[in-house]
């Protein structure tokens, strides 16, 4: 049995005590053990701050970008074995696994390119110098410089590769060392990526550490210049936010949590249009890609009342073609959910929805292809319909983290906006419309409740990857239930790992000091 060691203080260390067993969710066969008991996390964070932080800060943005490029290449160069690991440990189809692994290498490569523009600087200027007194010499210039702590990255089970890559790209480029803590249940892919990066000797000592297993007292050792970037469930986030260093030492925290993302078909919709087809394509893909275990997946589908039943029928017919089973078996297009506890949560969520919605798909017996009888954490694509969504509760309140969504009619664009906003703050909502007035009312009406709004119209219907894909150029995160966080967004993503300082003084001196 493979044992996942953690990489801390420059060495691979195995935890003691009873380990957690990682399994293949398609057949429940054990794959690896992980334990972190007995690991000195205080020393690990201190090592990262001292060694990794100093080494990264000695480099320019351009030089750090080259580290990201090398990381991207090593991931891409080992793509096939990484995809195999993701299929075994994550229940991913090959296409799901590519989404995760290519997402990691692609995001790192994006930031490597962006670093070229930042070039030989060690400090970033934030805007222009502003005159502060009557004379022209006394000015204020905002700058961004790397925080002198460590960035702890706690990730969810669903994106072990992309979650690592997208957070690592911004932190390392900004000049902060990272401690990566993937979710234990699917940690094999992240563990292998760290092994590859360490074997290739890409990063300076201390710049990258890995906690492979439960977090123990990791977060108790955070200090005021450290940052915590968390992706996971809202209730876990709430507990972490109450941690003593976070409350008393103002450790900077970013949270990416739950989200009841919507897709809204515009009031001008025509069922024979490219826009309508893009809408069906995106909803069906989002419900089933990664078995619906994407933070950006569409959970609520709003259509004009006159078209809602047709939307439900068209979706039902697309989803009926989904083949559920072991992702390594032929023709399977959707694998299991990742863990036994996810299966329990998804089933409970489905029952809650069934108490207020009509089930259109997902009720019958399930015979997963290629899975041993009675084994595996399988859920069928499940589609609900709610005729009076303003009166419903659960659908607007609870994220079901699986291949589950609900079609709901709306009677006016303003009602659609109000219904979407009942999700309490989300990562992304997509609007499918060509009429400009409709786009203005819907997109601008929901914008402040989201980190991202995707407007799909006929002329770009074949160009957009859909709302489920997080592109590094745009921000990822959202207000309220979604955690209130913000990641990526090009150079904006470096802000979390940097301290913004207003330097006030003589323009000539500041210009000389800040020239590089
Ligand atoms: P989770 O149970 O909240 O766990 C997330 C991470 O937190 C795991 O690495 C977990 O480690 C760690 N953790 C748990 N307790 C901790 C503690 N006391 N101290 C430090 N770390 C701790 O979430 P999940 O089941 O992995 O993921 C599902 C949820 O994530 C869904 O609700 C989904 O919406 C959300 N999600 C959001 C985004 C986004 O970008 N907004 C992306 C993906 C997923 P262990 O595994 O070792 O317990």
């Amino acid at each position: 049995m493979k044992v996942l060691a953690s990489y801390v203080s420059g060495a691979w260390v195995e935890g003691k005590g009873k380990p957690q067993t990682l399994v293949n969710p398609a057949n429940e066969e054990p794959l690896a053990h992980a334990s972190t008991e007995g690991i000195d996390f205080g020393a690990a964070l201190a090592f990262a701050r001292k060694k990794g932080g100093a080494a990264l800060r000695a480099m320019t943005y351009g030089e750090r970008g080259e580290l990201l490029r090398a990381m991207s290449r090593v991931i891409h160069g080992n793509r096939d074995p990484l995809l195999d690991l993701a299929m075994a440990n994550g229940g991913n189809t090959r296409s799901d696994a590519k989404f995760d692994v290519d997402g990691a290498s692609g995001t790192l490569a994006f930031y490597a390119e962006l670093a070229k523009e930042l070039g030989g600087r060690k400090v970033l200027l934030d805007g222009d110098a502003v005159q502060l007194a009557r004379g022209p010499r006394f000015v204020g210039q905002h700058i961004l410089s790397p925080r002198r702590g460590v960035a702890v990255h706690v990730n969810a089970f669903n994106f072990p590769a992309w979650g690592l890559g997208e957070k690592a790209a911004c932190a390392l480029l900004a000049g902060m060392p990272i401690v990566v803590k993937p979710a234990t249940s699917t940690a094999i892919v992240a563990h292998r990526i760290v092994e590859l990066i360490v074997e290739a000797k890409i990063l300076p000592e201390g710049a990258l550490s890995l906690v492979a297993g439960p977090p123990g007292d990791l977060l108790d050792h955070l200090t005021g210049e450290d940052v915590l970037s968390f992706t996971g469930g809202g209730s876990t986030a709430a507990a972490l936010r109450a941690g003593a260093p976070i409350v008393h030492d103002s450790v900077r925290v970013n949270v990416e949590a739950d989200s009841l993302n919507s897709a809204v078909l515009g009031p001008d919709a025509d069922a024979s249009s490219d826009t309508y087809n893009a809408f069906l394509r995106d909803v069906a893909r989002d419900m089933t890609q990664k078995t619906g275990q994407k933070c950006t997946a569409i959970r609520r589908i709003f259509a004009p009342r006159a078209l809602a039943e047709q939307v439900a029928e068209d979706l039902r017919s697309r989803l009926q073609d989904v083949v559920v089973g072991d992702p390594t078996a032929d023709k399977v297009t959707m694998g299991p959910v990742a863990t036994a506890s996810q299966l329990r949560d998804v089933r409970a969520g489905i029952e809650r929805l069934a108490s207020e919605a009509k089930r259109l798909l997902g009720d019958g017996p399930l015979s997963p292809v290629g899975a041993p009888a009675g084994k595996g954490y399988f859920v069928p694509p499940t589609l609900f319909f709610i005729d009076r969504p303003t009166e419903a509760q659960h659908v607007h309140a609870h994220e079901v983290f699986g291949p589950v969504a609900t079609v709901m009619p709306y009677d006016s664009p303003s009602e659609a906006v109000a219904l979407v906003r009942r999700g309490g703050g989300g990562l992304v909502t997509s609007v499918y419309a060509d009429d400009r007035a409709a786009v203005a009312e819907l997109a601008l009406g929901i914008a402040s409740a989201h980190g991202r709004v995707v407007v799909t119209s006929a002329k770009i219907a074949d160009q957009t990857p859909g709302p489920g894909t997080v592109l590094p150029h745009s921000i990822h995160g959202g207000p309220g239930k979604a955690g209130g966080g913000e990641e990526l967004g090009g150079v904006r993503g470096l802000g979390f790992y940097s301290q913004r300082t207003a330097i006030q003084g003589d323009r000539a001196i500041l210009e000389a000091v800040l020239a590089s």
Side-chain angles (χ1 to χ4, degrees), residues 20 153-159 162 166-167 181-186 213-216 218-219 228 230-237 239-240 255-259 293-296 299 339 341-342 345 399 401 427 470 476-478 482-483 487:
Q20 195 169 318
H153 291 166
V154 177
N155 275 317
F157 71 85
N158 54 345
F159 283 106
W162 175 79
E166 58 105 13
K167 283 181 171 33
K181 197 248 159 293
T184 304
S185 56
T186 58
L218 173 68
L219 304 186
L228 168 64
F230 169 82
T231 297
S235 51
T236 314
L240 299 193
V255 171
E256 303 287 344
D258 316 343
S259 183
Q293 301 166 107
K294 281 191 327 211
C295 50
T296 50
R299 312 291 178 196
T339 63
S341 80
Q342 280 304 120
D345 285 357
E399 178 193 48
F401 211 59
L427 295 173
V470 173
H476 173 62
E487 293 181 324

Side-chain angles (χ1 to χ4, degrees), residues 240-256:
L240 299 193
R241 277 187 161 126
I246 290 163
V247 174
H248 299 295
D249 299 330
S250 308
V251 172
R252 196 179 271 186
V253 180
N254 190 76
V255 171
E256 303 287 344

Side-chain angles (χ1 to χ4, degrees), residues 407-467:
V407 178
M408 293 171 271
Y410 67 82
D411 291 308
S412 66
S414 61
E415 185 182 90
V417 168
L419 286 165
V420 169
R421 295 187 74 100
R422 279 189 59 191
L427 295 173
V428 58
T429 276
S430 42
V431 171
Y432 298 81
D434 288 85
D435 177 75
R436 289 171 191 206
V439 171
E441 182 162 9
L442 292 169
L444 301 182
I446 62 177
S448 68
H450 293 83
R452 189 157 58 91
V453 174
V454 182
V455 180
T456 300
S457 50
K459 288 192 179 153
I460 57 152
D462 62 351
Q463 291 174 39
T464 127

Side-chain angles (χ1 to χ4, degrees), residues 259-262 299-302 349 352-353 355-357 384-386 388-400 404-408 419 422-423 481:
S259 183
L260 286 152
N261 313 299
S262 304
R299 312 291 178 196
R300 299 180 298 152
I301 305 153
F302 295 106
R352 242 189 335 248
L353 282 175
S355 69
E356 63 181 13
F384 286 102
F385 189 90
I386 294 182
R388 298 277 158 213
T390 51
E391 292 160 22
Q393 301 298 328
H394 301 308
V395 72
H396 305 300
H398 301 288
E399 178 193 48
V400 183
V404 184
T406 307
V407 178
M408 293 171 271
L419 286 165
R422 279 189 59 191
K481 194 187 276 291

